[in-house]
Amino acid sequence: MEIAERNVEAFNRLDVDGFVESATPDFEWFPAGATALERVSFLGREGVEKYFEELRDTWEEIRLVAQEFRDLGDCTLFLGRLEGRGRASGAPVDSPFAAVFDFRGSQCSRIRAFLDHDEASRAAGLAE
């Protein structure tokens, strides 16, 4: 759980180095939102750099607010909110947000993000 918590903190700073220090070299990130609909993922350090660049281009402000972390053995479930402000529109965003952090040993190997807590819980193997 500590690694997932550190990854959320690094995300909020858009800190590539802080994020990838606990990730496997073949780390894969499946974001929520429009990118998820296109089934796009971001791979390794280069993928994290590209994704954070896209976030900087799209968002004036963006941050994840944790409500709960659940240690599920080989994965951690993050439940919280996504808060931000769009760069072009200036419109505020406050949305449910969840993620499943998958681990290989002590390193994060994959993140699957969701805009629905129930969907993330099912992806983590929890029954409704």
Side-chain angles (χ1 to χ4, degrees), residues 42-68:
F42 295 89
L43 303 173
R45 179 185 182 86
E46 185 177 295
V48 173
E49 289 172 348
K50 180 178 180 188
Y51 185 48
F52 282 5
E53 183 179 319
E54 289 182 12
L55 290 173
R56 283 186 193 93
D57 290 344
T58 305
W59 297 91
E60 183 177 321
E61 300 171 15
I62 186 168
R63 74 184 186 114
L64 299 177
V65 178
Q67 294 171 325
E68 182 178 1

Side-chain angles (χ1 to χ4, degrees), residues 30-41 113 115 119:
F30 294 90
T35 305
L37 296 175
E38 299 165 5
R39 301 203 186 273
V40 171
S41 68
L115 297 176
E119 187 178 355

Side-chain angles (χ1 to χ4, degrees), residues 109-121:
S109 60
R110 179 174 63 171
I111 294 177
R112 295 170 284 159
F114 303 88
L115 297 176
D116 179 275
H117 288 189
D118 290 336
E119 187 178 355
S121 295

